[in-house]
Amino acid sequence: MAGASAADIRGILSLPENAAPGPSQMRKPPTKKPEGIPRELYALIGPSAPTMIAQPAKPRFKQKPNLGGGGSVRWEERPFKNPARTDGLVLKHWVKASVDPNEDYPFVKYNVKGPIYNYTSEEYVRLLEDSSWTKEETDYLFSLVKEFDSRFYVVSDRYDFPGGRPRSMEWHCQDLKDRYYSVCRKLVRSRPWSGDDASKAQLLSSLQFDKDREVTRKKYLDSLENRTPEETAEEEALYIELKRLEQTERRFKLEREELLRTLLGVESGLPGLPFEEEGPLGDPRKRKRIMEHDSATPPSASTPIQPRRVLPQMPQQSASSAQYDQLHCIFRPDPRMIVPSKSAHNIAYLRSGKMPYPKQSVAAKVTQVLTELDVQQTRLVMPTRENLLAYESLIEAATQLVEAKKVSDRLDQDIRVAKQRLGLRESAGETQERGEGSTQETVPMEQDEEDGGGQDGQRAGSVASSRSVKSRRTSQRRSLSVSSVDTMGAGRAQKRQKLS
Amino acid sequence: MVQYGGDEVSALVLDIGTSSTRAGYAGDDTPKAIIPTTYGFVRDGGPDAPMDGTDAPSTKMYVGQHGPSVWRANMEIGNPMQDGMIADWKPIPALIGHALRDVLRVNPEEHPVLVTEPAWNTPENRERMAELMFEEFHVPAFYIANTGVLNAFAAGKGSALVVDIGRSTASVTPVVDGFVLRKGLAHSGLPQLVHAQARNILQGAAGGPIRLLSHQLIASKTPVEPRAAPIFTLREDRLAQTPASLLRHYESIAADEWLQSVAGVLDQGWNEQAAASRPLKQHEFATGFNTYFAGERFAAGELLFSHTRELAAANPQLPHTLPALLSRALAATDQDMRGVLLTNIVLTGGGSMLAGVGERLLTELQRNVPHVKIHAPGNPTERRYGGWLGGSILASLGTFHQLWISREEWQEHGKSIVGQRCK
């Protein structure tokens, strides 16, 4: 070890190797030390190790800015001529001495002119005659357009044809444009074209000018500008109203769709079906059940889609089962109306044990309405199917009522705000009508609430009628479906009791 | 170099206004020579010499910073400008010569010169200016540019509606792509009316008319309490030798000072209560008299925007107000242009420095038009010398140098070249 370290030290100090062979002699051939490894480390690990060591690259710093370090720049004042000039004006400017004096003036490239159309007098006679334009005036127009680089605003501003038309009949900007472009179009069409058809068509379309449209547009702009502040304010208010209505519409639509989906699930597209009909055998949802159970069992409604399978056998034939059902007051809802529940196992329970509850958000108000109607909200004394249905529709109606009241209140508030905004100057025009329309909409709802004292059904109906027919149907369906699920449970329970 | 498009050829820019004449190098941001356009002159025969305009060659003219502002016996005061245009060409060579040779200390024969003109300048006037520059000052190249366009350039805009309130004239100039739309041009002598009103207010001030004198005529004064009678001694010797025009000049300077330091414009329209509720402002005159001004300090500036019914009834020839000028200018321009112009309003000119003018203009415009944008430079130099600044920018552009009217062209084509080149 000692010998080795001595050799190492020698190596480190780059002293000539002594003749005595040592272990470090292996490294003796001058292999080049790789970049990034300290010399001392290299002397220890030797040339074989580098693969093990990450070779750190030299840190790269941002390049130092070159602040014109090449000494001072020489500038000289040089005379120059602008090639765009026809005369020999020589101006002087300061340039870097390094710039080639024979170089073109750098600003020449900005001196560009648009395409200029010219015509001969023969062409004018042949093509360009126009009853309201003389050749002299057309010439004048073309010279102006050339002078002002097709800036027609300026051309029409400076247009002052000597011996021209009286002031009242002065050309407008669009007249000048029309004349100029029509002449150019005619020229392009009549002259031989060197390029292809596409480029010609493109050029022609770029020279297209519709004067009538321009005139209409300007008239429209004028009328837009001449609106009174009241008109502008009304327009603004109408616009805001429109936006709001659109938003409400969209929300309603979304809500309705969501409701439909919640209520009917995949079936939401199906129309209502008669209850006592046997489900078709081919129904895929029932196939599973059939496979599991006795295939002879008719796919009756008593066994719904899912889990309650350990049930007493149902009457085999549909006719006899109907008879039986009727006799025992068994009501079988359409299986397709049943929303499959998520849980895998549902215990049988009495329908009367499951009271419908109003939505959480409106529960307090609905409860209040029910209290006003003297309806007990605990357990029904006679929880029959009909009673439950009625009770449920009552709750439904009350909910709808409360919601309608909310909507009406909101509309009232909106109308008041809108009226304030439009102010007292509002004419008896459109806005008023709109205002009245919306109040009319809300008034009957309020009446509903007031006269809906006793008859729940009527009330529900009237409230529902203020909504669309479709929504009413969905509400019916909802009550049906909910009750059907539960009555089924109840029916089963009854049956079980009977069996036992 | 090419990136910013500048190529300086050491051109000079000369902007002659009613109150001051500005001259300097193109490419600078401030004119180096600012001298009053007003000049003093002493007739050889004394104050009683005939005033028929045919002045004897011995009439001594005093121009520059030490011209009219220095009291000289029997020195009268003249101003060559009228309605923003040069009306009296006699003192113009002296003024230009003084600005270029004595203040800038340049030899005009070595520098191209860009001169400004109001948009309503006559062709004769601009040709005469070209003649003056070529024949008297022997400039190598000349160009005459429009102050409206130059003010738009100074604001960095090619298209703008330039509202320029100067010393004698207020103008509204629609500029599109660097060209003035002449049909939309509107101007009036509104600032003169404001000035006259300021004098009226000072003459009719509570506690008797305020004497508008200049310090040149006052030998000594003693500080006094506000509203107290001034204690001062006049320089009677001078007063005897002060002609009426010089007295008027002193008065107008005093009125202008009052306007500049005290007057303002209510930014929400005229309202006695609002004017009265503004804080008082003190102003001391040359005599030592000092007092506080309340509501009346807004009355003069208000004339820029509205005339009272009595005033309008008494003077049917009243200059148009700024809103009237603006609406006239806009009505005469193309519908398509109005939007562009209204969002590029450039407020410029020394007269627009009156406190609150920009805000008030915005209020007035917003009453009728929904989208308005006013560009009003906050820097007083930019505001007062906008025309010169635009000229400085224009004459230092590399692309501009093809537009100069050279001496050669002048000799070849004569006066007609001016109208052809300077559109």
Side-chain angles (χ1 to χ4, degrees), chain B residues 132-202:
Chain B
L132 177 73
M133 296 314 288
F134 278 120
E135 306 301 341
E136 280 206 46
F137 289 95
H138 304 283
V139 295
F142 167 84
Y143 192 81
I144 192 157
N146 196 300
T147 45
V149 176
L150 295 183
N151 270 307
F153 286 170
K157 295 172 192 296
S159 303
L161 187 64
V162 179
V163 180
D164 187 350
I165 309 171
R167 169 67 165 279
S168 70
T169 322
S171 67
V172 175
T173 317
V175 177
V176 175
D177 284 352
F179 290 101
V180 171
L181 297 184
R182 292 200 183 133
K183 283 175 187 156
L185 190 61
H187 70 281
S188 74
L190 206 50
Q192 295 169 37
L193 182 72
V194 174
H195 184 87
Q197 178 73 6
R199 274 197 197 194
N200 278 345
I201 289 169
L202 295 177

Side-chain angles (χ1 to χ4, degrees), chain B residues 98-275:
Chain B
H98 178 77
L100 299 185
R101 293 203 182 96
D102 301 341
V103 183
L104 278 179
R105 306 206 68 79
V106 294
N107 180 5
E109 290 174 32
E110 293 168 358
H111 301 273
V113 177
L114 183 138
V115 185
T116 66
E117 60 169 1
W120 54 92
N121 202 14
T122 59
E124 297 77 44
N125 242 337
R126 60 197 337 216
E127 280 163 12
R128 182 140 185 205
M129 178 55 87
E131 194 181 348
L132 177 73
M133 296 314 288
F134 278 120
E135 306 301 341
E136 280 206 46
F137 289 95
H138 304 283
V139 295
F142 167 84
Y143 192 81
I144 192 157
N146 196 300
T147 45
V149 176
L150 295 183
N151 270 307
F153 286 170
K157 295 172 192 296
S159 303
L161 187 64
V162 179
V163 180
D164 187 350
I165 309 171
R167 169 67 165 279
S168 70
T169 322
S171 67
V172 175
T173 317
V175 177
V176 175
D177 284 352
F179 290 101
V180 171
L181 297 184
R182 292 200 183 133
K183 283 175 187 156
L185 190 61
H187 70 281
S188 74
L190 206 50
Q192 295 169 37
L193 182 72
V194 174
H195 184 87
Q197 178 73 6
R199 274 197 197 194
N200 278 345
I201 289 169
L202 295 177
Q203 297 297 328
I210 297 164
R211 279 193 81 175
L212 300 176
L213 286 170
S214 176
H215 62 90
Q216 283 99 332
L217 296 178
I218 289 164
S220 67
K221 60 184 172 187
T222 318
V224 290
E225 288 298 304
R227 297 194 189 85
I231 305 165
F232 65 100
T233 44
L234 273 173
R235 298 184 73 150
E236 298 290 349
D237 54 329
R238 283 190 172 183
L239 201 59
Q241 285 183 298
T242 307
S245 69
L246 186 55
L247 274 178
R248 257 206 316 280
H249 176 62
Y250 288 153
E251 275 177 23
S252 83
I253 284 180
D256 270 344
E257 276 173 359
W258 180 80
L259 264 178
Q260 284 160 20
S261 56
V262 169
V265 178
L266 291 174
D267 46 12
Q268 294 298 328
W270 182 251
N271 180 347
E272 290 280 352
Q273 284 177 334

Side-chain angles (χ1 to χ4, degrees), chain A residues 291-359:
Chain A
M291 286 193 299
E292 280 172 15
H293 282 267
D294 190 357
S295 55
T297 315
S300 81
S302 63
T303 30
I305 323 104
Q306 271 169 15
R308 296 167 218 145
R309 283 163 200 146
V310 204
L311 284 172
Q313 282 281 329
M314 296 300 293
Q316 305 256 322
Q317 282 161 17
S318 66
S320 63
S321 81
Q323 215 173 18
Y324 179 83
D325 284 351
Q326 209 170 15
L327 190 70
H328 295 273
C329 294
I330 293 172
F331 171 73
R332 296 173 201 278
D334 180 32
R336 271 161 295 194
M337 301 301 287
I338 298 163
V339 184
S341 68
K342 266 184 209 159
S343 61
H345 180 68
N346 280 5
I347 318 159
Y349 57 93
L350 285 177
R351 176 63 180 83
S352 54
K354 199 189 178 194
M355 300 272 283
Y357 289 107
K359 256 199 285 177

Side-chain angles (χ1 to χ4, degrees), chain A residues 283-486:
Chain A
D283 194 327
R285 276 205 277 133
K286 272 155 212 153
R287 218 172 275 151
K288 210 161 114 195
R289 189 187 60 82
I290 290 164
M291 286 193 299
E292 280 172 15
H293 282 267
D294 190 357
S295 55
T297 315
S300 81
S302 63
T303 30
I305 323 104
Q306 271 169 15
R308 296 167 218 145
R309 283 163 200 146
V310 204
L311 284 172
Q313 282 281 329
M314 296 300 293
Q316 305 256 322
Q317 282 161 17
S318 66
S320 63
S321 81
Q323 215 173 18
Y324 179 83
D325 284 351
Q326 209 170 15
L327 190 70
H328 295 273
C329 294
I330 293 172
F331 171 73
R332 296 173 201 278
D334 180 32
R336 271 161 295 194
M337 301 301 287
I338 298 163
V339 184
S341 68
K342 266 184 209 159
S343 61
H345 180 68
N346 280 5
I347 318 159
Y349 57 93
L350 285 177
R351 176 63 180 83
S352 54
K354 199 189 178 194
M355 300 272 283
Y357 289 107
K359 256 199 285 177
Q360 198 67 45
S361 56
V362 293
K365 284 189 175 164
V366 169
T367 316
Q368 200 186 335
V369 171
L370 292 183
T371 329
E372 271 175 35
L373 298 175
D374 275 349
V375 175
Q376 273 232 315
Q377 281 167 77
T378 49
R379 182 164 278 249
L380 290 183
V381 180
M382 193 70 78
T384 59
R385 197 179 92 85
E386 284 76 16
N387 279 353
L388 277 168
L389 265 180
Y391 182 72
E392 202 170 276
S393 67
L394 172 64
I395 296 271
E396 183 87 30
T399 311
Q400 273 187 355
L401 194 62
V402 169
E403 272 169 353
K405 176 81 171 104
K406 263 188 180 170
V407 171
S408 118
D409 284 351
R410 206 183 60 220
L411 277 174
D412 275 347
Q413 175 63 19
D414 285 3
I415 288 159
R416 211 173 307 132
V417 168
K419 275 189 175 164
Q420 271 174 3
R421 195 170 32 195
L422 284 176
L424 295 169
R425 286 171 296 167
E426 182 201 325
S427 60
E430 239 178 291
T431 331
Q432 182 106 30
E433 277 171 31
R434 185 162 45 78
E436 278 170 5
S438 46
T439 40
Q440 271 170 6
E441 247 176 38
T442 57
V443 163
M445 290 194 203
E446 284 165 16
Q447 281 172 349
D448 283 346
E449 199 184 25
E450 280 158 20
D451 67 17
Q455 304 111 321
D456 309 332
Q458 248 185 29
R459 186 161 119 149
S462 64
V463 169
S465 71
S466 70
R467 292 198 163 190
S468 68
V469 181
K470 207 160 187 181
S471 74
R472 189 168 60 191
R473 193 188 276 175
T474 60
S475 74
Q476 272 180 358
R477 198 173 284 169
R478 181 176 169 189
S479 62
L480 277 175
S481 65
V482 172
S483 64
S484 66
V485 169
D486 296 341

Side-chain angles (χ1 to χ4, degrees), chain A residues 76-83 85 87-95 105, chain B residues 7-12 109-113 139-142 395-407:
Chain A
E76 44 184 45
E77 192 178 28
R78 275 192 204 148
F80 70 97
K81 279 181 82 170
N82 192 330
R85 300 189 65 94
D87 62 344
L89 177 68
V90 177
L91 296 166
K92 287 180 182 170
H93 61 178
W94 286 86
V95 283
Y105 188 54
Chain B
D7 184 19
E8 292 177 17
V9 296
S10 60
L12 302 176
E109 290 174 32
E110 293 168 358
H111 301 273
V113 177
V139 295
F142 167 84
S396 61
L397 285 180
T399 43
F400 171 75
H401 299 318
Q402 67 191 64
L403 288 174
W404 291 108
I405 300 168
S406 69
R407 202 168 175 72

Side-chain angles (χ1 to χ4, degrees), chain B residues 280-345:
Chain B
L280 302 176
K281 264 198 177 179
Q282 193 181 18
H283 185 73
E284 183 176 323
F285 295 91
T287 55
F289 175 76
N290 65 96
T291 185
Y292 292 96
F293 293 93
E296 67 261 46
R297 68 194 180 93
F298 295 102
E302 183 61 25
L303 288 180
L304 285 174
F305 293 94
S306 66
H307 300 328
T308 57
R309 217 165 284 154
E310 304 88 67
L311 191 68
N315 312 286
Q317 292 297 310
L318 222 52
H320 296 283
T321 59
L322 276 185
L325 290 176
L326 274 165
S327 60
R328 264 176 55 172
L330 285 172
T333 45
D334 198 276
Q335 295 93 326
D336 292 344
M337 287 288 102
R338 282 177 208 158
V340 178
L341 293 177
L342 279 169
T343 47
N344 288 294
I345 294 175

